[in-house]
Amino acid sequence: MDRNILRACREDPRRTSTDIHVSVTSPNEPGPSRRTIRRRLQSKNRKARVEWAKQHWSWGPREWANHIWSDESKFKLFGTDGIQWIRRPIGSRYAPQYQCPTVKHGGGSVIVWGCFSDTSMGPLKRIVGTMDRYLYEDILENTQDNDPKHTSGHVANRFRRRRVDLLEWPSQSPDLNPIEHMWKELERRLNGVRASNANQKFVQLEAAWKSIPMTVVQTLLDSMPRRCQAVIDAKGYPTKY
């Protein structure tokens, strides 16, 4: 049953615990509850996080310098998405039961894609519509080398053609990804700045993105060993990062 649960998750990572429950149970063989399935998948994810952190804890500036960090994020026209308050005992801020799940794109007005490395801040691109593999491949082509637009094949095939190695990544690990803090830095620089429409908002975001100094990038990359150690110490649970 345990293997069936993990196999169902691997086959389709978007499956909910309810979907997996239906697929692994039958009238003749009742399966575990949806809550048990969620706990099993969370345990698997925590193990992957710890293993990744242990593998990369000893990396130094030279190893991290070989990577480009990229992601997309959503920004509202007016302010942030708000704060959800949680009542908790003192000293239990990062305990799992007091963590709030987040939604990456919760109906905001402007979605952007950005990247950076240890040598420069990459461009900031506006995402209109759904970020599918064709749009992503187009961004990579036009961002990196201005080649003609490519809309065929998978993004993974493109990386292989360009001999670009992808860094394997544990899911649900924003605390290990320094670009998450870069989005917060971008939001901080626009704190109190209002936009009347989405176009103006993107202009503001792009200008603020270009103004971020490389000292911010270096600080984030220097934090990677501490991030890895924090995940190891927390046994895969969320950390302060």
Side-chain angles (χ1 to χ4, degrees):
M1 180 60 69
D2 186 67
R3 288 195 298 269
N4 289 339
I5 292 173
L6 298 181
R7 185 182 303 112
C9 180
R10 286 194 300 268
E11 290 174 351
D12 185 358
R14 297 179 181 83
R15 277 184 173 179
T16 65
S17 58
T18 300
D19 296 334
I20 294 177
H21 176 78
V22 172
S23 68
V24 300
T25 58
S26 65
N28 298 327
E29 185 180 1
S33 68
R34 290 186 292 271
R35 183 178 180 182
T36 298
I37 291 174
R38 285 195 297 271
R39 287 202 304 266
R40 179 63 185 92
L41 297 178
Q42 290 167 357
S43 174
K44 173 179 177 288
N45 185 58
R46 291 197 302 272
K47 180 180 178 181
R49 280 166 48 80
V50 172
E51 290 178 351
W52 191 95
K54 288 181 176 180
Q55 291 171 3
H56 299 87
W57 172 82
S58 61
W59 278 22
R62 179 177 298 179
E63 287 85 358
W64 294 119
N66 293 328
H67 295 81
I68 296 175
W69 303 91
S70 67
D71 198 8
E72 64 270 5
S73 186
K74 177 263 298 180
F75 293 88
K76 296 182 68 175
L77 288 184
F78 309 107
T80 65
D81 289 328
I83 297 175
Q84 182 176 356
W85 297 96
I86 299 293
R87 294 185 180 88
R88 57 176 175 79
I90 295 175
S92 60
R93 179 177 182 180
Y94 303 110
Q97 62 267 39
Y98 301 114
Q99 296 291 315
C100 297
T102 60
V103 178
K104 197 173 188 66
H105 306 311
S109 55
V110 178
I111 298 177
V112 296
W113 177 94
C115 67
F116 68 86
S117 69
D118 76 317
T119 58
S120 66
M121 292 290 293
L124 194 71
K125 298 291 185 178
R126 183 177 175 183
I127 305 300
V128 179
T130 303
M131 180 71 154
D132 57 20
R133 68 172 186 260
Y134 301 111
L135 177 57
Y136 185 45
E137 187 170 348
D138 183 47
I139 288 176
L140 294 176
E141 290 288 350
N142 289 284
T143 295
Q144 293 184 356
D145 51 22
N146 292 319
D147 279 351
K149 181 179 180 181
H150 279 245
T151 56
S152 61
H154 296 281
V155 172
N157 290 332
R158 177 192 182 278
F159 281 126
R160 282 194 291 269
R161 293 196 304 269
R162 299 302 180 89
R163 298 180 180 179
V164 176
D165 294 328
L166 297 179
L167 182 64
E168 291 190 13
W169 195 257
S171 62
Q172 300 296 314
S173 298
D175 50 355
L176 286 171
N177 194 343
I179 202 170
E180 296 294 341
H181 280 72
M182 189 64 79
W183 294 132
K184 293 180 181 179
E185 173 68 19
L186 180 60
E187 187 173 47
R188 184 188 67 80
R189 288 172 176 264
L190 289 178
N191 186 33
V193 178
R194 297 176 66 86
S196 58
N197 55 61
N199 291 333
Q200 184 182 27
K201 183 67 175 183
F202 176 70
V203 171
Q204 295 170 350
L205 288 167
E206 189 175 35
W209 179 262
K210 292 179 179 179
S211 71
I212 297 176
M214 289 304 298
T215 53
V216 174
V217 173
Q218 195 58 55
T219 299
L220 291 177
L221 295 183
D222 288 344
S223 72
M224 289 305 297
R226 298 192 298 274
R227 293 169 185 265
C228 291
Q229 187 62 57
V231 170
I232 295 171
D233 293 342
K235 296 180 172 56
Y237 284 103
T239 69
K240 68 177 183 179
Y241 293 97

